[in-house]
Amino acid sequence: MAASTDGSTLANQAHGSSNHHHHHNGRRLRQFLRPDGRRVHIAQSPEEEIKLRKHLESTDEPFDVYIHGSPEHVEALREIHGHHERKHEELRHQHGEVFEDFEKVRLELDALSSELRMITEHGVALDANFSRYGYSAHLRTRASPESSANSISDVNSEKHDWEAERQNGYTVRFYKRPVVRQYFHKGLLWRAPEEEEVASFELFVDLLFVGVLEVNGEFAAEHATAESLLRFSIAFILSWKIWTDFTLFISWFETDDIIQRLSVLFSLACLFGYTTNVIESGHHTYQQMIAFFLAVRMFGGVYYIWLTWLIPMIRATLIGHTILVFTACAIWIGSIHVHEPQRQALIWIAIAIDLWGFMILLFLLRGSKHVSKSFGERMQKLFEFYPAVNIEHKSERTKAFVTLVFGYSVLALLYQNKAEMGINAFYGKAILGLIQVFTFNWIYFEVDGINLYMHAIRRRIWSAIIWNNVHLPFVMAFLIGGGGLAKLVLAHDCPNTDTRTLTATYKARSVGEIEEGLRWFYCAGFGLAFMLMGVIAGCHVHKDIPTARLKKWHRLTVRTIISIIIICLPKAHSLNSLELISAMTGLLVFDLIFEVYGLTKVGEPLFGRKRKKCTYWADCPMKKKDLEEAAKTGEVVNIEVLANKQDGEKGHFENS
């Protein structure tokens, strides 16, 4: 009777007919019955086989134990597969039309159950996404025909033609019709189950941005004045806009063809030309700088127009972005023909449209219902489909950009020494600066990056907007502070800073007196960046660990206080460059120690292992005294030898 029941269960789980492999649930069978009633157990490793065999030998049931994937395992599966195929045919001949009707109903139920699962549940591929960025009940996956076909054909590993796999390679296309990677539809986010990987040409773009960061950072620190800060802000915001547009196109649309690569190359050429005109943009090269910027933006606008014809599903969104692009471009063109200071009004209006114009579309999509019901219904119908940003891609690309900024600040600290013994104040200040950048990196990526329960992008729309927009002033402030730090490292206003130990290039950059503006650039830049880093962390939802020594808001409060102290450091005019850098390092390291301490567990020692009583549950033929003595001395216990010497006992043992 047991054999019949288990056999029918197995038939439901892994029926041998080849025409419904697509209903396979992906679970491995750990045991099944042979036709003669002998149970077969499957072990995942040789060690598990030994343990399983020893356990089963104490039972009266006949059994076989095979390692998963072994020839014996395959042979047993083939045997029971053939048995159920024969049973299937016997039932078909015995019951005729009734059997056929039953088969049709069963297949329809299996298909409907599979479809319901795809609609109401999330794919397994999203489990890693949820664990990294937080769960969302409004996230659904869509499968492409190719992926569905692959999943159908790959279920039966015995029939997979690995020789044919050698000829199943990747082909390059000159042009491929763009496809929307993910989109919103009626409150649900539909996306492919696969994670979007960073393309190789995106890493190449990052290489160029290292140069962009260097030019902007040196340009800001060369003259620590309000005018240079204004010029730096304009130049960097425009380069940031080029980078975000590039990231948005890659995140929204999947093309992966030669045309895409050529488009990237054109954008890089324009960015290169833009960067070569940054430093003199306040005097002679503003027109050339804006021309290169407009070339990239208009190219993106034309691309939007082209996509409105190719992807009518999101046409309203594309038209809206096209209007924003060309409206801002018209204002930028107007700024070329207007002189300072009137030019600044047009510049900042255009920047506002470039950075926050998309919020108009968000209002039409989400806030139109508050204007009137009919207007909201029209907007919901117009923006029925809205492209969405891929959270993995956006998060990883933003982290990569922040890493570039941190890396530039480290490179800016480097100088060349020509003294035989170069351990001096220049070296000491550079190492202190290195510690500062390392502290920023540690807090941003590890302290704020661990125990993430829900990413800001997935949490709420307001948290996603804040997270995205705060990164711009955070990066700008850090670049300003990093540029000021590089100048302070070369300053010779403190003891043991002989400029003769520097090579000619760096000797020319060394100053004997720190300007007031340079102090503010350094301290206010790093202080504001440190504070904004706390705002970024506050946008996420972190796991609330009850055993942690400090809550998240406690750590962020202390971080904010330290940020304010750092910003106020320039008021201490008596501090020379070494003292100023040392004070900054002390404050940052103190906060790092405080936050790392807050993440530790209550009751656990900060150093070494906690000495506590270890609990053992034993049921063996030996005495408690012998076991405790062996545990204290750390000797290897031979249970069989000790068991042969005495009768033994049972019980609950504790030992410290």
Coordinates of all heavy atoms in Angstrom, one line a residue, residues 125-168:
A125 N 14.8 33.9 -9.3 CA 15.9 34.8 -9.7 C 15.8 36.1 -8.9 O 16.8 36.8 -8.8 CB 15.9 35.1 -11.2
L126 N 14.6 36.5 -8.4 CA 14.5 37.8 -7.7 C 14.8 37.6 -6.2 O 14.9 38.6 -5.5 CB 13.1 38.3 -7.8 CG 12.7 38.9 -9.2 CD1 11.3 39.3 -9.2 CD2 13.6 40.0 -9.5
D127 N 15.1 36.4 -5.7 CA 15.4 36.3 -4.3 C 16.6 37.0 -3.9 O 16.6 37.7 -2.8 CB 15.6 34.8 -3.9 CG 14.2 34.0 -4.0 OD1 13.2 34.7 -4.0 OD2 14.3 32.8 -4.0
A128 N 17.7 37.0 -4.7 CA 18.9 37.7 -4.4 C 18.6 39.2 -4.4 O 19.2 40.0 -3.7 CB 20.0 37.3 -5.4
N129 N 17.7 39.6 -5.4 CA 17.4 41.1 -5.4 C 16.7 41.5 -4.2 O 17.0 42.6 -3.6 CB 16.5 41.3 -6.7 CG 16.1 42.7 -6.8 OD1 15.2 43.2 -6.1 ND2 16.7 43.4 -7.8
F130 N 15.8 40.7 -3.7 CA 15.0 41.1 -2.5 C 16.0 41.1 -1.3 O 15.9 42.0 -0.4 CB 13.9 40.1 -2.2 CG 12.8 40.2 -3.2 CD1 12.0 39.2 -3.5 CD2 12.5 41.4 -3.8 CE1 10.9 39.3 -4.3 CE2 11.4 41.6 -4.7 CZ 10.7 40.5 -5.0
S131 N 16.9 40.2 -1.2 CA 17.8 40.2 0.0 C 18.8 41.3 0.0 O 19.2 41.8 1.0 CB 18.6 38.9 0.0 OG 19.5 38.8 -1.2
R132 N 19.1 41.9 -1.2 CA 20.0 43.0 -1.3 C 19.3 44.4 -1.2 O 19.9 45.3 -0.6 CB 20.8 43.0 -2.6 CG 21.8 41.8 -2.7 CD 22.5 41.8 -4.0 NE 23.2 43.0 -4.3 CZ 23.8 43.3 -5.5 NH1 23.7 42.5 -6.5 NH2 24.4 44.4 -5.6
Y133 N 18.1 44.5 -1.8 CA 17.5 45.8 -1.9 C 16.1 45.9 -1.2 O 15.5 46.9 -1.2 CB 17.3 46.2 -3.4 CG 18.6 46.1 -4.1 CD1 18.9 45.1 -5.0 CD2 19.6 47.1 -4.0 CE1 20.1 45.1 -5.7 CE2 20.8 47.1 -4.6 CZ 21.0 46.1 -5.5 OH 22.2 46.1 -6.2
G134 N 15.6 44.8 -0.6 CA 14.4 44.8 0.1 C 13.2 44.2 -0.7 O 13.3 44.2 -2.0
Y135 N 12.2 43.7 0.0 CA 11.1 43.0 -0.7 C 10.1 44.1 -1.2 O 9.9 45.1 -0.6 CB 10.4 42.1 0.3 CG 9.2 41.5 -0.2 CD1 9.2 40.4 -1.1 CD2 7.9 42.0 0.1 CE1 8.1 39.9 -1.6 CE2 6.7 41.4 -0.4 CZ 6.8 40.4 -1.2 OH 5.7 39.8 -1.7
S136 N 9.5 43.8 -2.3 CA 8.4 44.6 -2.9 C 7.3 43.7 -3.4 O 7.5 42.8 -4.2 CB 9.0 45.5 -4.0 OG 7.9 46.2 -4.6
A137 N 6.1 44.0 -2.9 CA 5.0 43.2 -3.3 C 4.5 43.6 -4.7 O 3.6 42.9 -5.2 CB 3.8 43.3 -2.3
H138 N 5.0 44.7 -5.2 CA 4.5 45.2 -6.5 C 5.5 44.9 -7.6 O 5.4 45.5 -8.7 CB 4.3 46.8 -6.4 CG 3.4 47.2 -5.3 ND1 2.0 47.1 -5.4 CD2 3.6 47.7 -4.1 CE1 1.4 47.5 -4.3 NE2 2.4 47.9 -3.5
L139 N 6.4 44.0 -7.4 CA 7.4 43.6 -8.4 C 7.0 42.3 -9.0 O 6.7 41.3 -8.4 CB 8.8 43.5 -7.7 CG 9.9 43.2 -8.7 CD1 10.1 44.3 -9.7 CD2 11.2 43.1 -7.9
R140 N 7.0 42.3 -10.4 CA 6.7 41.1 -11.1 C 7.8 40.9 -12.2 O 8.4 41.8 -12.6 CB 5.3 41.2 -11.8 CG 4.1 41.4 -10.9 CD 3.9 40.2 -10.1 NE 2.7 40.3 -9.3 CZ 2.7 40.7 -8.0 NH1 3.8 41.1 -7.5 NH2 1.6 40.8 -7.4
T141 N 7.9 39.7 -12.6 CA 8.9 39.3 -13.6 C 8.2 39.0 -14.9 O 7.1 38.4 -14.9 CB 9.8 38.2 -13.2 OG1 9.0 37.0 -12.9 CG2 10.6 38.5 -11.9
R142 N 8.8 39.3 -16.0 CA 8.3 38.9 -17.3 C 9.4 38.1 -18.0 O 10.6 38.4 -17.9 CB 8.0 40.2 -18.2 CG 9.2 41.1 -18.3 CD 8.9 42.3 -19.2 NE 10.0 43.2 -19.3 CZ 11.1 43.0 -20.1 NH1 11.2 41.9 -20.8 NH2 12.1 43.9 -20.1
A143 N 9.0 37.0 -18.6 CA 10.0 36.1 -19.2 C 9.9 36.3 -20.8 O 8.8 36.4 -21.3 CB 9.7 34.7 -18.9
S144 N 11.1 36.4 -21.4 CA 11.1 36.5 -22.8 C 10.9 35.2 -23.5 O 11.1 34.1 -22.8 CB 12.5 37.1 -23.3 OG 13.5 36.2 -22.9
P145 N 10.5 35.1 -24.7 CA 10.3 33.8 -25.4 C 11.5 33.0 -25.4 O 11.5 31.8 -25.2 CB 9.8 34.2 -26.8 CG 9.2 35.6 -26.7 CD 10.0 36.2 -25.6
E146 N 12.7 33.6 -25.5 CA 13.9 32.9 -25.6 C 14.2 32.2 -24.2 O 14.6 31.1 -24.2 CB 15.1 33.8 -25.9 CG 15.0 34.3 -27.4 CD 14.1 35.5 -27.5 OE1 13.5 35.9 -26.5 OE2 13.9 36.0 -28.6
S147 N 14.0 33.0 -23.1 CA 14.3 32.4 -21.8 C 13.3 31.3 -21.5 O 13.6 30.3 -20.9 CB 14.2 33.5 -20.7 OG 12.9 34.1 -20.7
S148 N 12.0 31.4 -21.9 CA 11.1 30.4 -21.7 C 11.4 29.1 -22.4 O 11.3 28.0 -21.9 CB 9.7 30.9 -22.1 OG 9.3 32.0 -21.4
A149 N 11.8 29.3 -23.7 CA 12.2 28.1 -24.4 C 13.4 27.4 -23.8 O 13.5 26.2 -23.8 CB 12.5 28.6 -25.9
N150 N 14.4 28.2 -23.3 CA 15.6 27.7 -22.7 C 15.2 26.9 -21.5 O 15.7 25.8 -21.2 CB 16.6 28.7 -22.4 CG 17.2 29.3 -23.7 OD1 17.2 28.7 -24.7 ND2 17.7 30.6 -23.5
S151 N 14.3 27.5 -20.7 CA 13.9 26.8 -19.4 C 13.2 25.5 -19.7 O 13.3 24.5 -19.0 CB 13.0 27.7 -18.6 OG 11.8 28.0 -19.3
I152 N 12.4 25.4 -20.8 CA 11.7 24.2 -21.2 C 12.7 23.1 -21.6 O 12.6 22.0 -21.3 CB 10.7 24.5 -22.3 CG1 9.6 25.4 -21.7 CG2 10.1 23.2 -22.8 CD1 8.6 25.8 -22.8
S153 N 13.7 23.5 -22.4 CA 14.6 22.5 -23.0 C 15.6 22.1 -22.0 O 16.2 21.0 -22.2 CB 15.2 23.2 -24.2 OG 16.0 24.3 -23.9
D154 N 15.9 22.9 -21.0 CA 17.0 22.5 -20.1 C 16.6 21.8 -18.9 O 17.4 21.4 -18.0 CB 17.8 23.8 -19.7 CG 18.5 24.4 -20.8 OD1 18.7 23.7 -21.8 OD2 18.9 25.6 -20.7
V155 N 15.3 21.5 -18.7 CA 14.8 20.8 -17.5 C 15.4 19.4 -17.4 O 15.9 19.0 -16.4 CB 13.3 20.8 -17.5 CG1 12.8 19.8 -16.4 CG2 12.7 22.2 -17.3
N156 N 15.3 18.7 -18.5 CA 15.8 17.3 -18.5 C 17.3 17.3 -18.9 O 17.7 17.5 -20.0 CB 15.1 16.4 -19.5 CG 15.4 15.0 -19.4 OD1 16.3 14.6 -18.6 ND2 14.6 14.1 -20.1
S157 N 18.2 17.2 -17.9 CA 19.6 17.3 -18.1 C 20.1 16.2 -18.9 O 21.2 16.3 -19.6 CB 20.4 17.4 -16.8 OG 20.1 16.2 -16.0
E158 N 19.4 15.0 -18.9 CA 19.9 13.9 -19.7 C 19.8 14.2 -21.2 O 20.6 13.7 -22.0 CB 19.0 12.6 -19.4 CG 19.2 12.1 -18.0 CD 18.4 10.9 -17.7 OE1 18.4 10.0 -18.6 OE2 17.7 10.8 -16.7
K159 N 18.8 15.0 -21.6 CA 18.5 15.2 -23.0 C 19.3 16.5 -23.5 O 19.2 16.8 -24.7 CB 17.0 15.4 -23.3 CG 16.3 14.1 -23.0 CD 14.8 14.2 -23.4 CE 14.1 12.9 -23.2 NZ 12.6 13.0 -23.7
H160 N 20.0 17.2 -22.6 CA 20.7 18.4 -23.0 C 21.9 18.0 -23.9 O 22.7 17.2 -23.5 CB 21.2 19.1 -21.8 CG 21.7 20.5 -22.1 ND1 20.9 21.6 -22.2 CD2 23.0 20.9 -22.4 CE1 21.7 22.6 -22.5 NE2 22.9 22.2 -22.7
D161 N 21.9 18.6 -25.1 CA 23.0 18.3 -26.0 C 24.2 19.2 -25.8 O 24.2 20.3 -26.3 CB 22.5 18.4 -27.4 CG 23.4 17.8 -28.5 OD1 24.6 17.5 -28.1 OD2 23.1 17.7 -29.6
W162 N 25.1 18.7 -25.0 CA 26.3 19.6 -24.7 C 27.2 19.8 -25.9 O 27.9 20.8 -25.9 CB 27.0 19.0 -23.5 CG 26.2 19.0 -22.2 CD1 25.6 18.0 -21.6 CD2 25.9 20.2 -21.4 NE1 24.9 18.4 -20.5 CE2 25.1 19.8 -20.3 CE3 26.3 21.6 -21.5 CZ2 24.7 20.6 -19.4 CZ3 25.8 22.4 -20.5 CH2 25.0 21.9 -19.5
E163 N 27.2 18.9 -26.8 CA 28.0 19.1 -28.0 C 27.4 20.2 -28.9 O 28.1 21.0 -29.4 CB 28.0 17.8 -28.8 CG 28.8 16.7 -28.2 CD 30.3 17.1 -28.0 OE1 30.8 17.8 -28.9 OE2 30.9 16.6 -27.0
A164 N 26.0 20.3 -28.9 CA 25.4 21.3 -29.7 C 25.6 22.7 -29.0 O 25.6 23.7 -29.7 CB 23.9 21.1 -29.8
E165 N 25.9 22.7 -27.7 CA 26.1 23.9 -27.0 C 27.3 24.7 -27.5 O 27.4 25.9 -27.5 CB 26.3 23.6 -25.5 CG 26.3 24.9 -24.6 CD 25.0 25.6 -24.5 OE1 23.9 24.9 -24.8 OE2 25.0 26.7 -24.1
R166 N 28.2 23.9 -28.1 CA 29.5 24.5 -28.6 C 29.2 25.4 -29.8 O 29.9 26.4 -30.0 CB 30.4 23.4 -29.0 CG 31.8 23.9 -29.6 CD 32.6 22.7 -29.9 NE 34.0 23.1 -30.3 CZ 34.9 22.3 -30.7 NH1 34.7 21.0 -30.6 NH2 36.1 22.8 -31.1
Q167 N 28.1 25.1 -30.5 CA 27.7 25.9 -31.7 C 26.7 27.0 -31.3 O 26.2 27.7 -32.2 CB 27.2 25.0 -32.8 CG 28.2 24.0 -33.2 CD 27.6 23.0 -34.3 OE1 26.4 23.1 -34.6 NE2 28.4 22.1 -34.7
N168 N 26.2 27.0 -30.1 CA 25.2 28.0 -29.6 C 25.8 29.2 -29.0 O 25.8 29.4 -27.8 CB 24.2 27.3 -28.7 CG 23.0 28.1 -28.3 OD1 22.7 29.0 -29.1 ND2 22.4 27.9 -27.2

